[in-house]
Amino acid sequence: MNSVDASEHYELGAPDLSPSLLTIVIDTNPHAWAVLEDSLPLSKAIANILVFINAHLACNYANEVAVVASHSQKAAWLYPSHSEPQYRPADHDGDVTMNGTSDTTTPKTNKYRPFRIVEEQVTRNLKELMDSTTGDDLRGNMSTMLAGALTLALSHINRRTLAWAEEHGGANTEDAAADGNGGGTTSTNRYSASNEDERLQSRILVVSVSGSTDAAHQYIPVMNSIFACQRLSIPIDVCKLSGDAVFLQQASDATKGVYMALAEPRGLLQYLMMAFLPDQRSRRHLVLPTRVDVDFRAACFCHRRVVDVGFVCSICLSIFCEPPPGGDCMTCGSHLDIRDNAKPALLPRKKKKKKRVNGASGTGTPMSTPTPGP
Amino acid sequence: MADSDEEYVGEVTEDEDDLQVTRGDNSRARRKQRGGAEWELSRTWETLVEGADGTINSTVEGLLEAGKRKRLLKDTTPLQRGIIRHLILILDLSQSMSEKDLRPTRYLLTLRYAQEFVREFFEQNPISQLGVLGLRDGLALRVSAMSGNPTEHLTAIQTLKTQDPKGLPSLQNGLEMARGALFEFSHTPSHGTREVLFIYGSLLSSDPGDIHRTIDTLISDKIRVGIVGLGAQVAICRELCTKTNGGDETAYGVALNEQHFRELMMDVTTPPAAYSQKESASSLLMMGFPSRTVESSPSLCACHSKPSRGGYLCSRCNSKVCSLPAECPSCGLTLILSTHLARSYHHLFPLINWVEVPWRRASRSSACFACGLSFPSVPPEDHWQTAENQTKGMSVSSRYECTACHNHFCIDCDLFAHEVVHNCPGCQSRSNPLHSGARSQTSGGVDTMV
């Protein structure tokens, strides 16, 4: 629109670089951390992550950070803790901040304040989270609430993006004008990545330890979050300490984030500082350690298994690992024709043909394939 | 024609029925006749009420929130929609588009909305195909070919910005070219829809032949045509839409203003409901979800016999194909990227609408569960009634509750959750998948469907 009223040239002055919001999702699944106990205990990992957070905060005075714990039975905020305002006054007087840090009281006054606040809140909330975890919670539950943590992180990013756009209204005038015209349907415009440089730069870092096969029941919500990130152009970086995460690979691939599986978990801080610190703007000038081979398997709706070959209902695109009983789709209820089941039924027919051929030649199928190979 | 018919019917009922009924009928008939012109009668200033402090801030905020909310309350009952669509977007690039009744000009606004349309279309219909045509100088010209890649269309539309609209448009040429493009993919599968969307600013069409014959072929080819008009209603456009949509007139809309124009266009991005069970043959397809690999040395792909390093290995027979979706050349398995399927799942399991929270239940929360925005505190009980009268279409307490997890959220998170993420932050971050947590969304969807 600027080209119309020739006001383009007024915006040529170098704009302030917008700050970035780093949201860290820490997988705190106790089962997985217990396995890592020898190489990298949780406490040490948290210390490393806190150093990393400080580095991020130091990059730009306006940089923001948020930390979500994806625990085994719930997802919870570590920083900023939203429920704090009521919780703190419950302690009667202003000394509350000391309360959380009673273990390390003395040298705190010399610390840069944002560093201290993050550190205090994260450690205190994490401790509370761990204390609130009972044995019963852990017994039946091996997975982690990744979908919830991602959704919380996204809600927070949305809130901060809106708030930031309001504070810096000038940056988005063109969009706002268009929105004025668009009126009722502003949101799609606001959410679409129209002018990336002028928005709050957000990214999500997932520090993951759990295997994803346990999380197969969250397939749909996780994928929904991934698409939301893709739409908002928020990269999901994945720092994988153990196990292998099928869906997280897809997440970082779809959102153009960094995926790293650490061969040596003890070097966590080093990896974090080298690979995950640069924000989107700097990343354009870097050669990023991305993963080239991506696991694109999906989870079936019926048994929550991770599959690479599945049966797909042509009506609703639900994935099943085996033909549903009675030929009725479990999701949309439509009857799937037995006749159309012929597609999978084609397979045995083909095999039969092969068998006849094999019968003549006298060898099994696996033998016949290598021969033309070399 | 149709208008005078309706009026006549209204007069007949006046004679036959008692007074009250006829009045109802009459007004309904009149409204129908006016079509979209109802907005003229709404007196927006009357809804403004001064707040206690003498400003209208609170009312304005309320109206904004009500607007947001109105958009949200859509039907969440899952129904069968055809999400495999083949759509041709035809833009009028004739001289009538240089009019400035829509700001900045019809032409620039159309191009801008066309780009938004493309983005939104692929957001909603990830496995669909789109093509863009233009009408200029009596000819139909191809802006971008049928493809499933939004960036191609976006750049093609972008290049149009440097050109000027000129000449006269031809509906018939556009339709014939669209028909050709839709069948150019001779394999256009029967389970997909075939649609054409016109953005038409002119009040005439200069055609080389009989357009009615073209309409007949469109009907026999089962191509649905939708038109967004920019000037006034045009008889041939109306006929075209009505005939190709099986008598349904709603596919033709004339934009009243910029906002309405946008809404009309964006409505088309929602996948159309499938007409009948028969139309789409229901079957269970076996599909493979191959993973991407990169080899150290190039090898030939099974589909084109071209050497490449990257590719996808068929999950059944391990032959390499270079792009998806594809049918495995050696074993015939349909190979598809699982993310393509997963993109559509929010249609399958829509997030239930959240309910407004009255003051009575508001004291349970003080801040939004998801983003931590603090809610207004609960006023004393005798103020409840007055507060409730002031707010229409929004929650009195600014809280919205998910009926599954009973957490409270703010309006922005409500919008965000329903329009972008399609997850409930509360349900997803709750423990115990065995009871309701993560699975509640899924089972909820199934229940409403069965």
Side-chain angles (χ1 to χ4, degrees), chain A residues 81 83-93 96-97 121 124:
Chain A
S81 38
S83 53
E84 273 322 288
Q86 311 136 4
Y87 172 78
R88 244 185 255 167
D91 285 11
H92 304 302
D93 50 64
V96 218
T97 38
Q121 287 205 14
R124 186 181 56 229

Side-chain angles (χ1 to χ4, degrees), chain A residues 64-274:
Chain A
E64 292 175 45
V65 73
V67 188
V68 195
S70 154
H71 206 54
S72 54
Q73 87 282 17
K74 65 174 182 182
W77 282 105
L78 295 185
Y79 174 87
S81 38
H82 297 310
S83 53
E84 273 322 288
Q86 311 136 4
Y87 172 78
R88 244 185 255 167
D91 285 11
H92 304 302
D93 50 64
D95 289 346
V96 218
T97 38
M98 304 298 288
N99 234 346
T101 57
S102 50
D103 45 337
T104 48
T105 32
T106 36
K108 277 300 155 68
T109 42
N110 287 332
K111 210 169 206 177
Y112 182 47
R113 193 159 172 273
F115 291 1
R116 188 165 54 90
I117 294 174
V118 174
E119 189 182 317
E120 279 168 5
Q121 287 205 14
V122 168
T123 43
R124 186 181 56 229
N125 289 328
L126 189 63
K127 197 162 177 295
E128 270 170 30
L129 181 66
M130 289 303 175
D131 290 345
S132 69
T133 313
T134 59
D136 284 342
D137 289 334
L138 296 179
R139 222 151 283 144
N141 202 340
M142 294 288 283
S143 68
T144 178
M145 305 302 287
L146 185 64
L150 282 175
T151 315
L152 282 181
L154 276 168
S155 305
H156 179 76
I157 289 174
N158 178 46
R159 159 66 50 210
R160 291 306 308 149
T161 312
L162 289 181
W164 197 85
E166 248 165 53
E167 282 166 31
H168 302 76
N172 280 353
T173 38
E174 199 198 336
D175 251 6
D179 283 356
N181 298 338
T185 36
T186 50
S187 58
T188 40
N189 197 1
R190 187 178 65 209
Y191 295 136
S192 65
S194 46
N195 42 0
E196 284 170 41
D197 271 349
E198 292 162 24
R199 298 186 317 169
L200 183 69
Q201 307 269 317
S202 316
R203 64 186 201 272
I204 297 178
L205 167 65
V206 184
V207 179
S208 165
V209 286
S210 318
S212 65
T213 33
D214 306 325
H217 62 269
Q218 297 179 28
Y219 177 63
I220 296 172
V222 167
M223 293 313 276
N224 280 344
S225 324
I226 293 174
F227 295 129
C229 286
Q230 197 177 23
R231 192 164 165 189
L232 303 174
S233 56
I234 297 169
I236 301 181
D237 299 336
V238 179
C239 179
K240 184 82 215 163
L241 291 173
S242 67
D244 208 13
V246 181
F247 306 142
L248 286 177
Q249 284 183 21
Q250 298 184 23
S252 68
D253 179 68
T255 58
K256 301 196 174 60
V258 176
Y259 183 97
M260 279 194 101
L262 305 196
E264 186 52 76
R266 271 177 302 178
L268 174 64
L269 180 59
Q270 212 165 328
Y271 283 105
L272 286 176
M273 293 296 237
M274 293 301 150

Side-chain angles (χ1 to χ4, degrees), chain B residues 114-182:
Chain B
Q115 285 178 310
E116 278 174 31
F117 175 83
V118 170
R119 274 196 210 105
E120 187 66 21
F121 180 80
F122 282 106
E123 202 62 55
Q124 301 273 346
N125 313 279
I127 44 178
S128 300
Q129 302 274 331
L130 182 75
V132 185
L133 304 181
L135 303 178
R136 175 190 292 159
D137 278 338
L139 300 174
L141 49 105
R142 175 175 297 184
V143 178
S144 64
M146 280 296 259
S147 92
N149 183 1
T151 47
E152 261 174 46
H153 304 300
L154 292 177
T155 48
I157 295 173
Q158 189 71 37
T159 55
L160 283 179
K161 281 196 176 170
T162 55
Q163 299 165 20
D164 281 325
K166 68 176 202 279
L168 295 172
S170 162
L171 273 180
Q172 194 188 12
N173 283 341
L175 288 171
E176 288 295 347
M177 192 168 201
R179 204 164 63 90
L182 285 171

Side-chain angles (χ1 to χ4, degrees), chain A residues 73 86 184 188 230 308 312, chain B residues 71 262 285 289 343 366 431:
Chain A
Q73 87 282 17
Q86 311 136 4
T188 40
Q230 197 177 23
D308 60 352
V312 176
Chain B
R71 204 150 22 105
R262 206 186 121 100
L285 309 167
F289 310 107
R343 244 174 210 283
S366 67
S431 61

Side-chain angles (χ1 to χ4, degrees), chain A residues 1 4 73-75 77 82 86 141 145 147-148 151-152 154-155 158-159 162 174-175 178 181-189 191 217-221 223-225 227-228 230-232 250 253 291-298 301 304 307-320 323-324 330-332 334-337 340-341 343-344 347 350, chain B residues 71 80-81 83 103-104 108-109 112-113 116 119-120 123 127 258-259 262-263 277 280-294 312 315-316 327 330-334 337-339 341-346 348-349 366-367 369-373 410 412-413 415-416 419-425 428-433 438-439 441-442 446 449:
Chain A
M1 208 185 278
V4 173
Q73 87 282 17
K74 65 174 182 182
W77 282 105
H82 297 310
Q86 311 136 4
N141 202 340
M145 305 302 287
T151 315
L152 282 181
L154 276 168
S155 305
N158 178 46
R159 159 66 50 210
L162 289 181
E174 199 198 336
D175 251 6
N181 298 338
T185 36
T186 50
S187 58
T188 40
N189 197 1
Y191 295 136
H217 62 269
Q218 297 179 28
Y219 177 63
I220 296 172
M223 293 313 276
N224 280 344
S225 324
F227 295 129
Q230 197 177 23
R231 192 164 165 189
L232 303 174
Q250 298 184 23
D253 179 68
R291 190 183 175 100
V292 273
D293 44 339
V294 181
D295 197 332
F296 277 116
R297 285 180 297 165
F301 288 21
R304 313 283 165 187
V307 292
D308 60 352
V309 177
F311 296 91
V312 176
C313 167
S314 73
I315 304 294
C316 63
L317 302 181
S318 307
I319 303 171
F320 303 105
M330 283 185 262
T331 311
C332 63
S334 49
H335 184 72
L336 303 169
D337 246 339
D340 286 299
N341 270 342
K343 252 214 158 152
L347 298 172
K350 269 188 182 172
Chain B
R71 204 150 22 105
Q80 191 176 333
R81 290 186 181 275
I83 64 164
R103 292 280 156 191
L108 290 178
L109 191 72
R112 184 194 185 106
Y113 285 169
E116 278 174 31
R119 274 196 210 105
E120 187 66 21
E123 202 62 55
I127 44 178
E258 288 89 345
Q259 177 186 342
R262 206 186 121 100
E263 275 168 19
Q277 297 282 108
S280 44
S282 46
S283 54
L284 199 59
L285 309 167
M286 194 176 192
M287 287 189 183
F289 310 107
S291 294
R292 193 169 71 205
T293 53
V294 172
Y312 301 86
S315 5
R316 191 159 62 192
E327 196 163 271
S330 63
C331 72
L333 183 68
T334 312
L337 215 51
S338 57
T339 42
L341 294 183
R343 244 174 210 283
S344 63
Y345 287 151
H346 67 86
L348 206 53
F349 306 113
S366 67
F369 177 83
C371 71
L373 185 83
C410 65
D412 287 311
C413 288
L415 267 184
F416 186 70
E419 292 196 339
V420 183
V421 198
H422 307 291
N423 281 342
C424 168
Q428 291 310 325
S429 48
R430 215 168 35 155
S431 61
N432 237 339
R439 215 177 279 183
Q441 207 183 3
T442 320
V446 175
M449 232 173 305

